[in-house]
Amino acid sequence: MNLKELAAELHLSQTTVSRALNGYPEVSEKTREIVLAAAQRFGYRPSPAARRLATGRAHALGVVFNAERNALMDPLFVEYLAGVAETSAKQGFDILISPSTPRDEIVTFGRLARDGTVDVVILTGPKVADERIALLSELKFPFVVHGRPPDPVGISFIDIDNFGAFQQATSFLIQLGHRRVMLINGEEHFTFAQDRSRGAAVAFAAAGLPSDMLDEHFMPMTAENAYRCARQALESDARPTAILCGSILVALGVLRAAAELGLEVPRDLSIVAHDDEMPAFPADQFHPQLTTTRSSIRAAGTRVAEMALARVAGQKPGAVAEVWPVQLIVRGSTAAAPEKG
Amino acid sequence: MNLKELAAELHLSQTTVSRALNGYPEVSEKTREIVLAAAQRFGYRPSPAARRLATGRAHALGVVFNAERNALMDPLFVEYLAGVAETSAKQGFDILISPSTPRDEIVTFGRLARDGTVDVVILTGPKVADERIALLSELKFPFVVHGRPPDPVGISFIDIDNFGAFQQATSFLIQLGHRRVMLINGEEHFTFAQDRSRGAAVAFAAAGLPSDMLDEHFMPMTAENAYRCARQALESDARPTAILCGSILVALGVLRAAAELGLEVPRDLSIVAHDDEMPAFPADQFHPQLTTTRSSIRAAGTRVAEMALARVAGQKPGAVAEVWPVQLIVRGSTAAAPEKG
DNA sequence: CTCAGCGTTCAAAGCGCTTTGGAGGTTTTA
DNA sequence: TAAAACCTCCAAAGCGCTTTGAACGCTGAG
C-alpha cells in the first residue's frame, strides 16, 4: 500500500493524505482523523526511500566506528551505541554504522557528509588536532561531539569531567599517603588523556608534591599494554604504591601484573580505575572490588543522540556544551600506602 | 553534481552515463572510459536515496541489536559487528542498526522487512523456538542466521561447534580427574546453550559417569550471576572441583567467588571458559591465564556478512550451513583434581 | 541495392513521496 | 450585495536515479 493507493481508497488527493499524515495545518481535523484511521487500518507505511529523495533528509544518524583489528574501545562502544540507539529509535531515526580504520576515517566522514545518507554524524574521541572536526566544519555538515573538542567554540559537545575525576582520584591517593603514583593513561593525542593528565598533575601540585612523583604513561588502553607497563614498574626499585588506571581494562592488566609478582591489592598496591559503566564488565565484580571514578557511557550516548537530533531539527552548533561530573566510588582496591620498607 | 548534469557535461544521455557507471554491457568501452574519467574528475557520486527508490534495493544490511539495559552480549557484539562491517563496507553496503528490546524485537524485524530500509537482515542468537525466524520466513524476507537455527532446513547459517567445544572441555576435565563439575551455561532458550549442555552430558556419558555429577545452571551470562551461582556452589559441602564457564565474563565472576572463599585456581578449582576472542577482554590477561575453548566471533561476523550479501545477490537460502570447529586452549586455570580430603 | 542484424545511444516513463501554486467553496468584512 | 479573506483540498512538478522500448548508424548477407 502506497500513498497513491491510500489516497484513491479515501477519494482524496495524495497531497491531502500526505499532509494529514505529517501533521500539516492545512487539513481539517476531521479529514485528518479519517486519514489516520485508514492509514492504520491498511497498515500504510511511507517509503523511507521516497521520502528521503523528496525531502533530501535521510532521517538517519551516522556513527563512525573503528573496525581496526583491535578496536580498543570495544566494550565501551556498544554501551554507548545502546544509548544512542535508544533515543534515536524513539524519534524514528535510523542509525548508520560506518566502519572505518583510523587511516581512512577522514574519507569515511567526507563520504557520509556528501552522500546524504545521514543528516548528522556523531563524532567520538576527539583528538588534540582533529581533522574530522575540521573537515565537517568546512563542509558545514551537522555534527556533534562526544568528548571534548580541542576548540569547543561553536561546537556542540558533551563530555565527562575527566580533569576533575583524575584530580579527585589523585588527591584521594595522596591523602592515603601515596607518594609514588603511576598513571596509565590513554593515547596522548586524545583530549580526554590530556585532561586526565592535567587533573593528576594539578592534584600533585596542590599537595605541594614534586611532579616527578607522578609516573605517567600514555598508551592504547588494553589489558595487555597495561600489564606490561605495570609489571615493569612494579619490578623496579622505586615501585609505585598506587596506580591510576584509564579504564577497567587497564585495571585488569594491572591486577594480573600485581598477582604475578605476589603483590596484594590493596595492601601492597592501591588501584583506582576509571569506570564507564559497562554492564558486561562491572568494577564490583573484580577481586578486590575496584575503587573507581564512575560515569555512565550509556547516558552519554543517550544525550549525544538527543543533541544530534536537535541539531537536525535546526539547533545551532555550539548550543550544547555539557560537562558531566564524575563520582569517585571507593571500594576495596585502595588503602593507605604501605609503610616504607 | 548529479547524473543529469554529468550527462549534459558529456553530451550524452543519462541512460548511457548510468549504464557506463554501473558496468552494463550495452555501452562501448570507449565511452565507458570517458564517462568514468569524467565522473572521477567531477567527483560525481550517485545519490543513494534516488538509486534506492529507483531500484527498490536499499544497499544496506540490517542488524538488530538488543538495547536493553543490561545487554549481555555487549562486548561480543562490537567485535561481531566489526566483522560484519568490514566485509559489508567492502561491497559498499551500509549497516543499519536497529535497537530493540527482546519484547518488541519481533516488531522491529517486521518493520525492517516491510520498510525496505534494508535488503537483508542478520539474525543473532537463535532460540529453540524462534519467532523471528518464523516471521521472516513467512514474509519471505532474506535473512541469514548467526548461530544454529532450531530447524536449519532452508536457512543459511553459520555457527561454531558448541557441542564439540563443551564435549571436549568436559572430557578434558574428566581426564584430569574431576568428578564434580559445574556448568554455568547461558539461558536455556538459546540453541547454543542446548548444544553446550548436550556436549557436556555426552562427555560424562562417554566416560561412564553418572549424569548427576554434572551440576548445570542456565542463566544470563553476566559476571554477577556467575559470581552468585559459583559462590553458592563452592560453599556447599560437595563443592565442584571444576567449573565450565559459558563466557569469559562468567569466568570473571567465578574467579571472584573463588578468591573470596580463599580457593586457589587451579589448585583447588579448575576453570575452563568459552572465549569468543574479544580483544578487549583477553583470556590470557587473567590471573591465572584461562584455559578456554576458543572461537573468533569476529571471523563469524565477517562470514555471516558475506552470506548476507550473497543472499542479496540471489543465493538461495539454506545454501550455507557452516559449523566451525572450536579449539581447546589449555592455559593455567586447569589442573588435576585435588585429592579427596 | 535492400534489408535484417548488431552495437550504441537516447527519450521518456516510472520509483513513492513532498511541496508549490492554485482552485473551489464558505465565511467574514465593508 | 460584492469583495476580500479563509479554509480545504487538489493537480502537477519535482527529487535523482534506473530501465524499458525505440531509434540510429553501421555491417554483412541475400
Side-chain angles (χ1 to χ4, degrees), chain A residues 3 15 18-19 22 24 44 47:
Chain A
L3 187 61
T15 312
S18 170
R19 290 195 157 143
N22 294 320
Y24 281 73
Y44 167 75
S47 146

Side-chain angles (χ1 to χ4, degrees), chain B residues 250-332:
Chain B
V250 165
L252 181 67
V254 170
L255 278 173
R256 179 179 159 221
E260 285 186 9
L261 295 172
L263 296 173
E264 197 173 299
V265 177
R267 196 192 59 195
D268 306 316
L269 178 71
S270 282
I271 293 180
V272 27
H274 180 71
D275 176 17
D276 291 286
E277 284 191 15
M278 308 171 264
F281 220 153
D284 60 3
Q285 290 301 316
F286 283 77
H287 182 80
Q289 297 191 336
L290 299 173
T291 294
T292 58
T293 51
R294 184 172 70 184
S295 66
S296 166
I297 183 82
R298 182 180 191 119
T302 310
R303 183 71 185 104
V304 82
E306 278 173 21
M307 289 162 52
L309 299 184
R311 190 74 184 71
V312 173
Q315 190 184 66
K316 289 277 162 289
V320 184
E322 291 176 15
V323 177
W324 291 5
V326 174
Q327 201 186 349
L328 177 67
I329 314 261
V330 178
R331 295 202 188 83

Side-chain angles (χ1 to χ4, degrees), chain A residues 71-83:
Chain A
L72 310 170
M73 302 202 15
D74 268 16
L76 282 184
F77 182 76
V78 213
E79 186 60 8
Y80 166 70
L81 193 62

Side-chain angles (χ1 to χ4, degrees), chain A residues 57 59-63 80 83-85 87-89 91 93-95 118-123 141-146 155-158 300-320 322:
Chain A
R57 299 246 313 255
H59 233 70
L61 169 164
V63 177
Y80 166 70
V84 171
T87 52
S88 78
Q91 308 221 19
F93 259 61
D94 287 333
I95 299 179
V118 300
D119 301 316
V120 57
V121 304
I122 297 180
L123 207 132
F141 191 84
F143 70 101
V144 296
V145 177
H146 176 223
I155 295 180
S156 284
F157 73 91
I158 169 205
T302 311
R303 184 71 186 106
V304 83
E306 279 174 20
M307 289 162 53
L309 299 185
R311 190 74 184 70
V312 173
Q315 190 184 66
K316 290 275 161 289
V320 183
E322 291 176 15

Side-chain angles (χ1 to χ4, degrees), chain B residues 33-72:
Chain B
E33 272 172 31
I34 295 174
V35 171
L36 252 37
Q40 174 86 30
R41 185 155 40 90
F42 292 112
Y44 167 74
R45 300 192 53 85
S47 145
R51 167 176 292 180
R52 184 167 301 194
L53 182 58
T55 60
R57 299 244 314 252
H59 232 71
L61 169 165
V63 177
V64 173
F65 104 111
N66 182 352
E68 191 92 290
R69 274 287 148 208
N70 55 353
L72 309 171

Side-chain angles (χ1 to χ4, degrees), chain B residues 46 78 132 138 257 335:
Chain B
V78 213
R132 302 168 300 174
E138 189 192 317

Side-chain angles (χ1 to χ4, degrees), chain A residues 18 24 31 41 46 59 69 83 90 135 145 172 177 195 204 259 300:
Chain A
S18 170
Y24 281 73
T31 32
R41 184 154 40 92
H59 233 70
R69 274 288 148 206
K90 267 182 206 146
L135 175 69
V145 177
F172 174 68
D195 291 341
F204 265 82

